[in-house]
Amino acid sequence: MKKKWGLIAVLTFGLYVVAMYFYFFYSQNSGIPATLKGTAADPSTFLTAQELVLSEDLSKIRNFLFFIATPFEWLLYIVIMSTGISRLFERWSPEQQKWAIWRNAMYIFLLSFLLFILQLPLDYYQYTLSKSYGISTQLFSSWMRDNVIDFWLDFGMSVIIVTVLYWLIKKSMKRWWLYAWALTVPFSIFLLFIQPVVIDPIYNDFSPLKDKVLETKILSLAEQADIPSEHVYEVNMSEKTNAFNAYVTGIGENSRIVLWDTTLNRLTDEEILFIMAHEMGHYVKKDIYLNITVYLLMTLIGLWLIAKIMPWMISRYGSILKIKQMSNIHSLPLFLLISSFLLFFSNPLSNVVSRYQEVRADEYAMELVENPEAAVSTFQQLTKAGLGEVNPSALVKWFRYSHPPMLDRINKVADQAKEE
C-alpha cells in the first residue's frame, strides 16, 4: 500500500510536468494586442530580432521551471516521509543530549542537506540557463558560495524557529499556532531591521554612491518627497548579473536606498531618477508597513490552517507517511509540505497586493519627476536587460508577477507622454 501511494505521487508529478510542458511550449501564446503593434509597448520596437527570439524562448523555460519546481519540492517531502527517511534522521539525532535544540539541530541539518543535494541539479540548471542567455555573469564558484551561505543562514534560523515551534506544539496542541504567530511579529520586524546591515553585506559589497552629482540629484528628489535620507548606496552586482535593479530595504535608521552598479553603468541619469522616484513612492505610500501587515495576516491564516490540516492528515495518512504524532520532529516535512502548498496558492493574492503597490509607485514617480519619456525608456531597458516577457498569460501573471506586465506599464506612461 505504501509503495502504491509513492508510485501514485511520482506518476501524478510526471503527468503534471508533461501537462505544463505542453501548455508553455505548445499551447500558450500571449502575443501583443493588435492595437499596440508598433507602439512603444511593442517589444519589436526596442528589442532586436535575436532578443525577441531569446526573450520568447527564455520566458517559456522560466515559466515552466517555476510551475514544476514547487511541486517537485512537495514530491521530495512525500518521498522523505513515506520511505521512513525522516524517522531515520530523528533516530540519528543524539537522544542523550539534554537540550532539544541540539537534537533538532542534527535532524534539521540532515533534512536540509538532503533537500539541498536533491534540489541542486534544478538550481544549477537555472543558473546555467541564465548564463547561456547572457543575463548572469556570475562565476560558478561565486554562485556556489551564495548557495552555501543560503544553506547555513537558513539552517541557523530553522534551528531556532523549529525548536520554538515544536516546543509550543508540545505545550499546547490547541493554541500553538496562535502563540507561534505572536512570536512571528517581533521576529519579522527584527529581520527587517538587521537585513540591510547584517545579512545583505554577506552576499555583496555595499558602498556609498561614488557619483556625487547623481547622489545630489537623488537626495534632492528625496527632499521633495519628504524622505529623510543622507546617503545612497551602490552594490557591486555586475560580477553576478547584467540585469538592473534598485530598491529600498530595512526600517527605521537601518533603511537604505540601494542601486545596482549595472543600473548606474547602463542607464541615463534621467532613467535612474525615475527608478529612484518609483522606490521613493513605496516609502511615501508606506508600502513596507502594508507588506508587513499582509504578511502577518497571511501567516496567521496559514498557521491556523496548518493546525487544522496537519492533525487530520496524520490521523488519516499517518501510517503511509510514517508519522505517529504531530509533536515529533520527524513530522517537520509534513509541516513544510503544507506550508509550501499554502504559500504557492496564496501567490495570486499576494501578487495582486504587490501589483497594486507598484502601480501606485509608478504613478507617484510620474508625478515627482514629470518625465514620461524617461519612464518609457527605463521600462524598455529593464525588459531588454532581463529578456522579460512583456505580456504573460493570465496563469503566469497570477502566480509569478509581483509587478504589472511591462506591456501595461509602458503603455500607460507612453499614453501620458503623448498627452503632454
Side-chain angles (χ1 to χ4, degrees), residues 93-114:
S93 301
E95 295 182 5
Q96 68 273 16
Q97 286 287 346
K98 180 180 178 181
W99 301 102
I101 190 170
W102 299 115
R103 297 195 300 270
N104 294 343
M106 176 60 76
Y107 173 86
I108 293 169
F109 174 80
L110 294 171
L111 178 63
S112 300
F113 185 73
L114 178 62

Side-chain angles (χ1 to χ4, degrees), residues 22-279:
F22 275 96
Y23 174 74
F24 285 114
F25 290 94
Y26 292 100
S27 66
Q28 188 224 353
N29 183 21
S30 51
I32 302 296
T35 55
L36 295 180
K37 290 284 186 179
T39 67
D42 184 351
S44 65
T45 63
F46 59 88
L47 296 181
T48 66
Q50 182 183 18
E51 287 171 338
L52 282 170
V53 173
L54 292 175
S55 173
E56 183 178 351
D57 292 345
L58 181 59
S59 296
K60 290 178 180 178
I61 299 172
R62 279 173 166 171
N63 293 334
F64 172 69
L65 291 175
F66 173 83
F67 280 94
I68 68 168
T70 302
F72 176 65
E73 180 186 343
W74 301 343
L75 179 65
L76 292 180
Y77 290 139
I78 292 172
V79 170
I80 287 171
M81 289 184 289
S82 61
T83 57
I85 293 176
S86 184
R87 289 183 66 179
L88 183 63
F89 285 168
E90 186 179 37
R91 292 196 199 102
W92 286 354
S93 301
E95 295 182 5
Q96 68 273 16
Q97 286 287 346
K98 180 180 178 181
W99 301 102
I101 190 170
W102 299 115
R103 297 195 300 270
N104 294 343
M106 176 60 76
Y107 173 86
I108 293 169
F109 174 80
L110 294 171
L111 178 63
S112 300
F113 185 73
L114 178 62
L115 290 170
F116 177 82
I117 295 300
L118 294 176
Q119 292 176 307
L120 188 61
L122 183 58
D123 293 337
Y124 178 72
Y125 174 73
Q126 291 175 315
Y127 159 71
T128 57
L129 178 71
S130 190
K131 288 270 288 188
S132 65
Y133 278 82
I135 296 173
S136 173
T137 60
Q138 190 172 19
L139 296 175
F140 173 78
S141 57
S142 173
W143 175 81
M144 199 65 206
R145 172 183 175 273
D146 285 351
N147 276 273
V148 172
I149 292 173
D150 282 342
F151 174 85
W152 286 110
L153 284 177
D154 290 344
F155 169 72
M157 286 192 289
S158 295
V159 170
I160 297 171
I161 293 170
V162 170
T163 298
V164 173
L165 179 68
Y166 274 80
W167 179 78
L168 291 173
I169 291 173
K170 290 177 180 178
K171 291 294 182 180
S172 177
M173 279 297 295
K174 291 184 178 180
R175 293 189 177 87
W176 67 265
W177 58 274
L178 185 59
Y179 302 142
W181 177 80
L183 293 174
T184 298
V185 178
F187 185 72
S188 300
I189 295 174
F190 172 72
L191 287 180
L192 280 173
F193 188 77
I194 68 168
Q195 180 181 335
V197 294
V198 177
I199 298 176
D200 290 347
I202 297 175
Y203 293 91
N204 301 293
D205 295 326
F206 290 78
S207 62
L209 184 61
K210 299 180 183 67
D211 188 339
K212 296 305 177 183
V213 175
L214 177 60
E215 184 179 45
T216 299
K217 294 178 181 178
I218 294 173
L219 293 178
S220 177
L221 274 184
E223 185 178 356
Q224 293 179 50
D226 292 326
I227 299 175
S229 182
E230 297 180 358
H231 298 288
V232 179
Y233 292 87
E234 62 179 274
V235 55
N236 180 19
M237 289 297 295
S238 56
E239 63 185 19
K240 294 184 178 182
T241 182
N242 284 317
F244 308 145
N245 198 15
Y247 59 89
V248 177
T249 185
I251 56 175
E253 296 179 355
N254 282 9
S255 61
R256 284 186 175 182
I257 300 174
V258 180
L259 281 163
W260 287 8
D261 63 340
T262 51
T263 306
L264 294 167
N265 296 337
R266 296 172 60 185
L267 295 184
T268 66
D269 282 7
E270 289 73 20
E271 292 167 340
I272 292 172
L273 288 175
F274 174 78
I275 290 178
M276 297 316 302
H278 172 95
E279 297 304 324

